[in-house]
Amino acid sequence: MDPSVTHLLAQVRTLGEELSSAQGEGTGNEKRRTELRKAVSKLSLALEEPGDVLERVTMQVEIASFLEVVSIKIGINLGLFEILVKSEKPRSLPELAEETGADPVLLGRILRSLASVGAVEETATECYAPTTVSRTMVVPKLAAGVEHWFVYSQYLRVYAHLDALMKTQLMVFVDLSFTYLSPVWHYLPKYLEETHYQNPSDSIHTAFNLVYRTAKPCFRYIMEHHAWKDPFQVYMSGFDEGRANWMDFFPVEEKLGNGAHTDGILFVDVGGGFGHEAVALKKRYPKLPGKLIIQDLPQTVKELHLEGVEVMEHDFLKPQTIKGARVYYFRNVLHDWSDDICRTILTETRRVMDPSYSKVLINQWVVPARDATRLMTGQDLNMMAVLGAIERTEKQWYELLESSGLRIENIWRPDDDVSECLIEVAVKE
């Protein structure tokens, strides 16, 4: 173990014991408490791996931190904190949904987000109690700080209405996500209030659409604005840095190679972007039998040339044309879409599958029903605000796939809580 980690562990232990044994609330105790918080923070930083650093300085700063305040604002608006603080026992999700009038699916997402930042406590799955944050938010003069932040940060929304030239100039100075995402996140509490706390599921009626005054889906809007398009594509190309690849924990040769047809199609990367996954599979397992194909929209793949991988123009919202492939692979695709649209995509895929031979592999987060990370819940709120979509729990994945005529054979999980799982799926008998 790193000596600095050993030293910090000892320091945390000592400070914790001193604070625990001390009496009263004097200046000495306050000093110990402050020192303990600093030591814990240093220990957390010392334990980081490169992937943790990337997740903290990009995703947590850009998404999770901003959306922490957003989720607390939604909690205030719903009266969640008052309900929990006044209650003599933990409250279940159905009880809270009935009392607030919010859609249970939406409320579950909000409560998972609040739990991930310590604003409520999960005493059991879908069961909640108040915390120090909850109690703080029922004190008017303290909760006013959140209200002040929302008023003060209204300036963020002006980015949405600047002319194209000014937007291009601002891109030089303003971080990409704070150029086009922050105004949307900021508007989310009001959007949910205006839609009577129904779970968003329409990709063209989102907080994003209202802020930017467009009827176009987010991705299409971004692709038509060049000041955003290039930085967005660069950002997405580095999205996997520091994360485990599915091939690190999935038995590829056993599950894909054994029994594969030599003259058939082994791997179809649906919505595969620039083909990184197919190329990586070919490089790591060059002797796997069959063809590898990457599919995406014409504007994405028209100039794409990959060694050992075929490139095909295809819109996954239309019928799949490749029949009987060994694997239909979806990476970070389905979290962009509502259940209804995902059901269409998956049903069309099932239609061309050979039930005794084909698999679907979904490389996506499986959000824990309890103790979800701040990163996952922040990204879930981001998908809600921007796309009317969702990061799904295990239960939600089972429900979606079952309703599409498919069944989960296994969920393969990485050792960390940052990397995506791999959901192994077959045709339902």
Side-chain angles (χ1 to χ4, degrees):
M1 183 180 291
D2 188 317
S4 65
V5 172
T6 304
H7 170 73
L8 286 166
L9 279 169
Q11 185 179 7
V12 167
R13 188 179 300 111
T14 300
L15 289 168
E17 290 172 353
E18 289 178 358
L19 185 61
S20 179
S21 61
Q23 300 294 321
E25 304 247 349
T27 304
N29 275 0
E30 180 61 25
K31 183 178 180 180
R32 290 187 187 94
R33 187 185 66 83
T34 301
E35 289 178 348
L36 179 57
R37 289 185 63 199
K38 288 180 179 179
V40 168
S41 179
K42 289 179 180 179
L43 176 60
S44 178
L45 294 174
L47 287 168
E48 287 184 338
E49 297 291 342
D52 301 318
V53 175
L54 185 68
E55 181 257 329
R56 174 173 55 82
V57 301
T58 57
M59 300 298 288
Q60 282 196 12
V61 172
E62 294 182 1
I63 295 179
S65 295
F66 198 112
L67 285 167
E68 177 177 345
V69 187
V70 171
S71 64
I72 289 174
K73 170 65 172 168
I74 296 169
I76 291 172
N77 290 355
L78 280 167
L80 276 173
F81 303 122
E82 289 187 12
I83 294 171
L84 292 174
V85 169
K86 289 178 180 178
S87 179
E88 296 180 354
K89 62 180 182 179
R91 304 294 296 276
S92 69
L93 174 58
E95 289 172 339
L96 292 169
E98 182 176 359
E99 192 155 353
T100 62
D103 177 90
V105 175
L106 171 68
L107 188 59
R109 298 169 73 180
I110 300 302
L111 284 163
R112 275 193 295 275
S113 177
L114 290 170
S116 73
V117 298
V120 300
E121 179 189 357
E122 292 173 306
T123 59
T125 300
E126 297 187 344
C127 197
Y128 304 91
T131 65
T132 301
V133 177
S134 310
R135 296 183 181 91
T136 300
M137 292 304 149
V138 299
V139 179
K141 65 181 180 181
L142 299 179
V146 175
E147 300 292 341
H148 168 74
W149 183 90
F150 266 81
V151 173
Y152 179 75
S153 61
Q154 285 283 348
Y155 76 92
L156 290 168
R157 294 182 57 194
V158 303
Y159 293 138
H161 309 299
L162 296 173
D163 60 48
L165 176 61
M166 183 59 73
K167 284 178 180 174
T168 302
Q169 292 170 337
L170 279 171
M171 280 302 301
V172 178
F173 306 103
V174 184
D175 178 85
L176 176 65
S177 63
F178 276 91
T179 300
Y180 71 87
L181 288 181
S182 291
V184 180
W185 300 337
H186 187 277
Y187 190 67
L188 182 60
K190 184 172 178 60
Y191 166 83
L192 292 177
E193 188 174 22
E194 291 173 345
T195 55
H196 308 292
Y197 296 102
Q198 298 304 298
N199 190 52
S201 60
D202 188 337
S203 64
I204 59 172
H205 293 94
T206 67
F208 178 92
N209 295 105
L210 291 174
V211 168
Y212 287 96
R213 301 174 183 175
T214 178
K216 297 176 181 179
C218 171
F219 288 143
R220 183 184 300 175
Y221 186 86
I222 290 174
M223 291 301 108
E224 293 176 0
H225 290 73
H226 295 292
W228 299 351
K229 176 182 175 182
D230 292 342
F232 176 76
Q233 290 181 329
V234 170
Y235 172 71
M236 291 307 298
S237 70
F239 187 76
D240 297 335
E241 291 296 322
R243 300 189 183 195
N245 184 276
W246 62 278
M247 288 175 265
D248 296 335
F249 53 87
F250 178 74
V252 173
E253 292 176 308
E254 175 190 341
K255 293 288 187 176
L256 272 60
N258 290 351
H261 301 158
T262 304
D263 57 350
I265 296 172
L266 177 75
F267 186 83
V268 182
D269 189 353
V270 185
F274 300 128
H276 299 304
E277 296 301 315
V279 170
L281 178 63
K282 184 70 175 179
K283 183 177 180 181
R284 191 178 293 200
Y285 298 99
K287 294 183 179 180
L288 284 175
K291 295 180 181 178
L292 278 64
I293 297 175
I294 179 257
Q295 296 179 324
D296 215 312
L297 296 171
Q299 59 265 36
T300 301
V301 301
K302 63 181 178 180
E303 297 181 2
L304 195 62
H305 302 283
L306 304 172
E307 184 176 351
V309 178
E310 293 186 17
V311 177
M312 175 184 293
E313 295 181 1
H314 176 67
D315 182 348
F316 55 64
L317 297 178
K318 297 180 180 178
Q320 177 60 260
T321 57
I322 297 177
K323 297 182 178 180
R326 180 63 160 166
V327 169
Y328 297 88
Y329 172 82
F330 295 86
R331 174 167 178 75
N332 287 335
V333 169
L334 301 179
H335 73 159
D336 291 339
W337 303 96
S338 68
D339 282 358
D340 287 343
I341 293 178
C342 285
R343 213 170 278 117
T344 298
I345 296 169
L346 292 166
T347 300
E348 286 297 328
T349 304
R350 186 204 65 204
R351 182 181 58 82
V352 298
M353 292 172 69
D354 179 341
S356 63
Y357 178 71
S358 303
K359 292 179 182 292
V360 169
L361 295 179
I362 300 171
N363 198 186
Q364 196 82 65
W365 274 338
V366 177
V367 179
R370 185 179 179 186
D371 295 328
T373 66
R374 184 175 177 230
L375 175 63
M376 286 183 180
T377 62
Q379 179 66 355
D380 182 43
L381 292 186
N382 180 44
M383 305 307 286
M384 179 194 299
V386 174
L387 297 169
I390 184 172
E391 297 287 354
R392 294 176 175 86
T393 64
E394 183 170 329
K395 179 183 177 183
Q396 289 167 337
W397 278 117
Y398 269 96
E399 291 173 347
L400 173 62
L401 291 161
E402 287 282 331
S403 69
S404 304
L406 299 165
R407 61 182 174 84
I408 294 178
E409 290 193 326
N410 199 359
I411 299 179
W412 301 83
R413 304 176 192 270
D415 291 334
D416 61 74
D417 57 7
V418 175
S419 307
E420 294 82 357
C421 297
L422 191 73
I423 309 173
E424 183 182 2
V425 180
V427 174
K428 185 168 67 174
E429 299 175 357

